[in-house]
Amino acid sequence: MKNLLPVYYTKGIPILLVILIFFWLPKSELSSLVLPVLLLPILGITINGFLNRFVIPKFVNQIQEYSLNWQWFAFGLSFLAGLWLTLNIPLMTPPVYRTPFLPPLFVRVVYRLTSGAALGVFIFLVSIWVASKKIKPSSEDQMANKFSFVKYFLLFIMVWGLYLLAFFPAMMSADSFNQWRQILTGVYIDHHPPFHSFTIWLATRVAFTPTSVAVFQVLFLGFVAAQWFSFFENIRLPRWVIWVAAALFALTPVNGTMVNTLWKDVPFSTSVLALSLFLAKIVFTDGQWIHNWKAKILLGVVCALVLLFRHDGLPLGVGSLAALFVFYPRMWKNWIIALAICFGLYFGVRGPLYQAVGVQKSTVLAESSLSLYTMAAYAKPNSESENLIQSFSLLAPNWDCQIRDKISSEWRSTDLDYSISPIELTNNLLQRMPRVLIYFYRCARSMEWIVWDPYGEVRNASHVEVLVDPNPYGIQHDSKIPWLRDIIRGWVIKTSHDPSLNWFTWRPAFFLYINLFVSFVLILRYRSIKFGLISLPILIQSMTFSLIFAEPNFRYHYAVYLVSLVSLPFLFSTSLPKDDGTIL
């Protein structure tokens, strides 16, 4: 029975392709059906012959290495991924006039399901093929020593140092100057995380210039990334793979410009990158890495940084640690220690330290945020807020996601009625929430899950468009390498604004799916679901942003880009777990 599964999967490909082609062929008249009826069976037979000759024999040998449960798991997950992707990638639906004798809704549903099934089979075949690929490991058997990261670290700081000279003294937006004012006045407000403002203050003790903060960001990201590539040496990835990946990570203008922009998202994303590295070390050593006391402390500290550098870091940090309790329950004492360190630092900073510095609570976020959930629940009938919700339609030919510009800033005080009864509240939610969810599906979730969006945009692709916002502190842009700045700046602006280019350069959904594919390959290669932990932090972040209304800002999702880019070498991993569960 095990041998029948791969044959069954691949045998379905000709049928799926024939159905898809059938919908695109013109069939407006009875006579036009003759060509499809004659050609499609021939095409199906040809595809089937090709599969029997070149694909199935090799594929059967590869999948026979898997148990029946693993085969069903791989195919089931691939099938669901195919269906999901048909909703999130550019997929043209055949025009209605191509098949006039069938209901349009029926054509759309069948075409989507068939496309999803075909894409799922393709993902299944590719995943099994990549997971079964035999890569020759590095000829060096010994582990990387504690200084092996230095060569990668030097590469990163040299390249990003050139970027810093090109965008000297660093790039700063209005948010950057908001925090700059706080460290000048000593009045800290909990709008942007004060902990990040503290790090700005600390970095400027060396020299009171934005360059000091940029250097700190370069060193922090360079150090964490270098540890990743040193880890790749430990699991014996081919050296050429490591160096190609390191060069890509260093040279990409995304990293070079982001790391030199003074935003909290940069150290936050670097902390997520470190957390993902620790999860990778845990799964590749089957938990052995955490037995070292230094590892427990580092895991707790990095978790605290994730929580402190951004207000929405709590689900990501705590969720990742909670997953360790699930996948490694026997090591619960280690996770308790790491969790205690994480929360000890988190509450210690947000409690005694914030009180000692006199951090003030901010009402800016609550007053300026646009809560569609609040609108749906409490908006008065015929108010501006209710009319806005009523304008949301899934079938609109052209979406405008900029609803902030369509409502007055006083909507909270003029449009809401908090005195309504529970029955009225329930009725409001039943009537309005479907439209709110439609809006979230089309706009708020676009950056997280939709690969290409013809009406979408990408904001905050670093701050190269403005460079340094007008400010009263005398800080001005002063590039030391203007020609390099102009080349990089032009590339960033063009690739971020053009929908035909930004989907594979700046949109986080594309990189998230790549990372999930890498984790899927590792799961199949090592027959362990635990390797999915490598994708968990950025998956949690994307899911979190799906639940809140957020602008389509790349900087919010920079961690997704970092983790996805750095994890590509895992496709060439070769080390297999030993009997004791360790790898290194």
Side-chain angles (χ1 to χ4, degrees), residues 108 201 206 258 300 317 349 510:
R108 291 194 185 97
W201 177 88
V206 178
M258 283 294 298
V349 169
F510 175 73

Side-chain angles (χ1 to χ4, degrees), residues 482-534:
W483 63 269
L484 180 60
R485 174 205 60 195
D486 293 341
I487 293 175
I488 297 170
R489 188 169 184 241
W491 183 91
V492 171
I493 293 174
K494 180 175 178 57
T495 56
S496 61
H497 285 281
D498 188 346
S500 64
L501 298 175
N502 65 25
W503 67 271
F504 66 91
T505 51
W506 296 96
R507 291 187 69 83
F510 175 73
F511 296 98
L512 176 64
Y513 293 141
I514 288 178
N515 183 257
L516 291 174
F517 174 74
V518 170
S519 291
F520 186 40
V521 168
L522 292 178
I523 289 172
L524 295 179
R525 181 172 290 164
Y526 299 123
R527 315 293 198 274
S528 174
I529 195 71
K530 295 176 182 177
F531 283 85
L533 286 172
I534 297 174

Side-chain angles (χ1 to χ4, degrees), residues 470-488:
N471 64 90
Y473 309 110
I475 300 175
Q476 296 181 350
H477 176 70
D478 183 24
S479 174
K480 306 304 179 184
I481 317 177
W483 63 269
L484 180 60
R485 174 205 60 195
D486 293 341
I487 293 175
I488 297 170

Side-chain angles (χ1 to χ4, degrees), residues 343-476:
F343 280 136
L345 291 173
Y346 177 70
F347 289 112
V349 169
R350 291 187 62 86
L353 181 58
Y354 278 21
Q355 291 177 7
V357 177
V359 173
Q360 302 176 10
K361 291 292 183 182
S362 171
T363 60
V364 174
L365 186 62
E367 293 173 353
S368 62
S369 63
L370 185 61
S371 173
L372 295 179
Y373 299 122
T374 302
M375 284 186 182
Y378 300 106
K380 299 175 183 177
N382 300 318
S383 64
E384 186 181 20
S385 295
E386 188 196 36
N387 293 335
L388 180 65
I389 292 177
Q390 294 297 328
S391 69
F392 301 155
S393 173
L394 183 60
L395 300 179
N398 189 353
W399 272 81
D400 182 4
C401 297
Q402 308 306 314
I403 63 174
R404 291 181 183 275
D405 301 330
K406 296 183 176 182
I407 191 167
S408 64
S409 58
E410 292 80 23
W411 68 273
R412 288 183 178 275
S413 58
T414 60
D415 291 5
L416 304 182
D417 181 8
Y418 290 104
S419 64
I420 60 176
S421 66
I423 295 178
E424 292 175 306
L425 175 62
T426 302
N427 184 60
N428 285 346
L429 292 175
L430 289 176
Q431 291 184 5
R432 299 167 179 170
M433 279 305 293
R435 293 183 177 273
V436 169
L437 294 177
I438 286 172
Y439 180 87
F440 269 83
Y441 173 82
R442 185 60 187 81
C443 292
R445 63 178 287 278
S446 175
M447 286 285 283
E448 292 83 15
W449 308 108
I450 299 178
V451 172
W452 179 77
D453 185 356
Y455 309 117
E457 61 176 319
V458 177
R459 304 179 192 171
N460 291 149
S462 69
H463 202 53
V464 299
E465 294 192 48
V466 183
L467 300 175
V468 176
D469 278 14
N471 64 90
Y473 309 110
I475 300 175
Q476 296 181 350

Side-chain angles (χ1 to χ4, degrees), residues 23-331:
F23 281 122
W24 280 101
L25 293 175
K27 301 169 288 294
S28 57
E29 298 178 1
L30 184 61
S31 59
S32 62
L33 287 173
V34 176
L35 185 62
V37 170
L38 292 176
L39 292 183
L40 290 181
I42 297 175
L43 179 62
I45 294 172
T46 303
I47 297 174
N48 185 65
F50 174 82
L51 293 174
N52 286 329
R53 177 73 181 275
F54 299 104
V55 177
I56 291 180
K58 186 175 182 179
F59 181 62
V60 168
N61 292 333
Q62 291 175 340
I63 202 170
Q64 279 181 331
E65 300 176 5
Y66 296 86
S67 68
L68 190 63
N69 288 336
W70 273 106
Q71 290 184 39
W72 279 116
F73 167 80
F75 181 73
L77 197 57
S78 299
F79 184 77
L80 292 176
L83 293 178
W84 173 262
L85 287 176
T86 58
L87 301 175
N88 295 281
I89 62 175
L91 184 64
M92 295 180 62
T93 303
V96 175
Y97 65 83
R98 298 279 187 180
T99 315
F101 51 85
L102 292 176
L105 180 60
F106 176 82
V107 172
R108 291 194 185 97
V109 171
V110 173
Y111 187 79
R112 288 280 175 174
L113 290 176
T114 305
S115 300
L119 185 57
V121 173
F122 176 77
I123 293 172
F124 175 65
L125 294 175
V126 172
S127 301
I128 292 294
W129 177 73
V130 176
S132 304
K133 201 72 174 172
K134 304 299 182 183
I135 307 296
K136 185 179 180 180
S138 171
S139 58
E140 299 182 23
D141 292 330
Q142 67 180 37
M143 294 191 309
N145 59 52
K146 61 181 179 180
F147 298 110
S148 64
F149 77 94
V150 173
K151 54 184 176 290
Y152 305 111
F153 180 63
L154 292 175
L155 170 66
F156 297 140
I157 62 174
M158 285 191 297
V159 174
W160 297 337
L162 288 175
Y163 273 91
L164 177 56
L165 292 175
F167 294 95
F168 194 85
M171 289 175 280
M172 300 180 69
S173 68
D175 285 347
S176 309
F177 283 112
N178 182 295
Q179 293 180 269
W180 197 258
R181 181 177 66 253
Q182 293 184 40
I183 66 172
L184 279 171
T185 62
V187 179
Y188 294 93
I189 302 174
D190 192 16
H191 174 54
H192 300 288
F195 178 78
H196 179 239
S197 301
F198 297 163
T199 62
I200 295 176
W201 177 88
L202 186 62
T204 52
R205 296 312 90 191
V206 178
F208 197 74
T209 169
T211 306
S212 298
V213 184
V215 169
F216 161 76
Q217 294 183 167
V218 167
L219 294 176
F220 187 23
L221 179 57
F223 179 79
V224 173
Q227 296 296 328
W228 264 97
F229 291 99
S230 178
F231 172 65
F232 291 148
E233 291 185 11
N234 278 343
I235 60 175
R236 299 183 64 203
L237 263 63
R239 291 305 172 97
W240 70 267
V241 171
I242 299 175
W243 277 108
V244 168
L248 175 63
F249 195 87
L251 295 173
T252 171
V254 177
N255 286 340
T257 55
M258 283 294 298
V259 77
N260 286 298
T261 304
L262 271 58
W263 284 330
K264 60 182 176 292
D265 309 276
V266 176
F268 168 80
S269 300
T270 304
S271 302
V272 176
L273 185 66
L275 177 60
S276 300
L277 172 62
F278 294 161
L279 293 176
K281 288 186 174 184
I282 290 170
V283 296
F284 267 90
T285 61
D286 199 25
Q288 300 302 313
W289 177 78
I290 198 62
H291 289 315
N292 188 301
W293 263 100
K294 184 175 70 171
K296 298 181 183 65
I297 295 173
L298 286 174
L299 181 60
V301 170
V302 166
C303 174
L305 292 178
V306 170
L307 271 61
L308 289 167
F309 271 129
R310 215 161 67 182
H311 292 310
D312 60 352
L314 184 64
L316 193 158
V318 176
S320 298
L321 284 183
L324 292 173
F325 281 92
V326 175
F327 286 101
Y328 297 93
R330 295 183 180 180
M331 299 180 182

